[in-house]
Amino acid sequence: MKHSSSGCRGAHMPRKQKIGATDRNGPGYKIGEVAELLDTTPRTLRFYEEQGMLMPFRTAKGTRLYSQEDIARLRVIQHLARLDVPLRTVHELAVARPESRSGDEASHKVSTLLSKLRLDVEKKKRECQDALHQIHTAMKLVEQCFGCRNKPTFRGCKDCPVEEQTDKSHLFHLILDRGEP
């Protein structure tokens, strides 16, 4: 096994013979190999290509061959998708430079897109921090019920220590049974 050194951290790629035209940082890998490596499907890789986010080398017979650079690009696309970045934004980032007439135009487009992306990610970060706080608070409340032998309702547990504190965590709107009808 060969360890990738082009930004594909932790990826082990099978040894392949270099194929001249695909030598953009390494050998060419077929679509099925890349899909398996990235835990995705060939259809997803074709979709990214259809959207203009990726352009793997094509052999004379039409076989797609992905370079290490292509794989690194796919990892970034996957990462942004896991962060719920809209594919439209990913596409705009992917094509901003190639579709620009000058470096100045490209740099301004990319700067604007990255600024918006930063704001979106910072908002998600705040939302995640709030969710972690809510989870922590809910856990502390739930732990107060460890060892309780009463039915887990306010009616079943007349002296419930949690009842007066449920407003401390929004998760309790989901967790608690407010009582039996």
Side-chain angles (χ1 to χ4, degrees), residues 98-117:
E99 290 183 355
S100 295
R101 292 177 297 254
S102 68
D104 182 61
E105 179 184 335
S107 61
H108 281 86
K109 280 183 187 178
V110 171
S111 179
T112 299
L113 290 166
L114 291 175
S115 292
K116 183 181 179 320
L117 180 60

Side-chain angles (χ1 to χ4, degrees), residues 4-176:
S4 166
S5 62
S6 68
C8 298
R9 287 183 217 122
H12 290 332
M13 299 297 288
R15 251 186 223 284
K16 292 247 180 198
Q17 216 174 358
K18 282 196 175 187
I19 301 170
T22 63
D23 192 12
R24 291 177 290 166
N25 295 326
Y29 300 93
K30 291 184 178 179
I31 194 167
E33 296 169 320
V34 175
E36 184 177 343
L37 172 72
L38 299 177
D39 195 26
T40 191
T41 65
R43 177 66 198 116
T44 299
L45 300 179
R46 287 190 294 271
F47 174 77
Y48 292 151
E49 183 180 353
E50 290 163 8
Q51 297 303 306
M53 294 185 269
L54 184 68
M55 292 189 322
F57 175 78
R58 295 277 192 127
T59 66
K61 292 184 178 181
T63 302
R64 291 171 175 86
L65 294 176
Y66 296 83
S67 67
Q68 293 289 349
E69 182 182 317
D70 293 327
I71 292 167
R73 186 178 186 100
L74 283 163
R75 287 185 186 280
V76 172
I77 293 168
Q78 286 182 313
H79 180 73
L80 292 173
R82 280 192 305 275
L83 293 174
D84 292 327
V85 173
L87 282 179
R88 184 191 85 249
T89 301
V90 177
H91 173 265
E92 288 172 349
L93 280 166
V95 301
R97 288 177 51 89
E99 290 183 355
S100 295
R101 292 177 297 254
S102 68
D104 182 61
E105 179 184 335
S107 61
H108 281 86
K109 280 183 187 178
V110 171
S111 179
T112 299
L113 290 166
L114 291 175
S115 292
K116 183 181 179 320
L117 180 60
R118 185 188 73 236
L119 292 173
D120 291 345
V121 170
E122 287 172 351
K123 179 181 176 190
K124 286 179 201 293
K125 179 182 175 184
R126 287 189 302 275
E127 291 170 354
C128 287
Q129 288 170 331
D130 180 57
L132 285 171
H133 175 72
Q134 294 295 323
I135 292 167
H136 174 76
T137 302
M139 288 177 70
K140 291 295 180 191
L141 291 171
V142 167
E143 288 170 2
Q144 292 180 40
C145 298
F146 285 2
C148 179
R149 300 211 186 278
N150 296 321
K151 186 164 175 75
T153 64
F154 292 134
R155 278 190 175 162
C157 187
K158 300 276 188 228
D159 299 319
C160 181
V162 175
E163 182 177 9
E164 299 298 318
Q165 303 176 60
T166 57
D167 61 335
K168 290 183 179 179
S169 174
H170 302 301
L171 287 172
F172 269 86
H173 292 289
L174 175 67
I175 298 169
L176 285 184

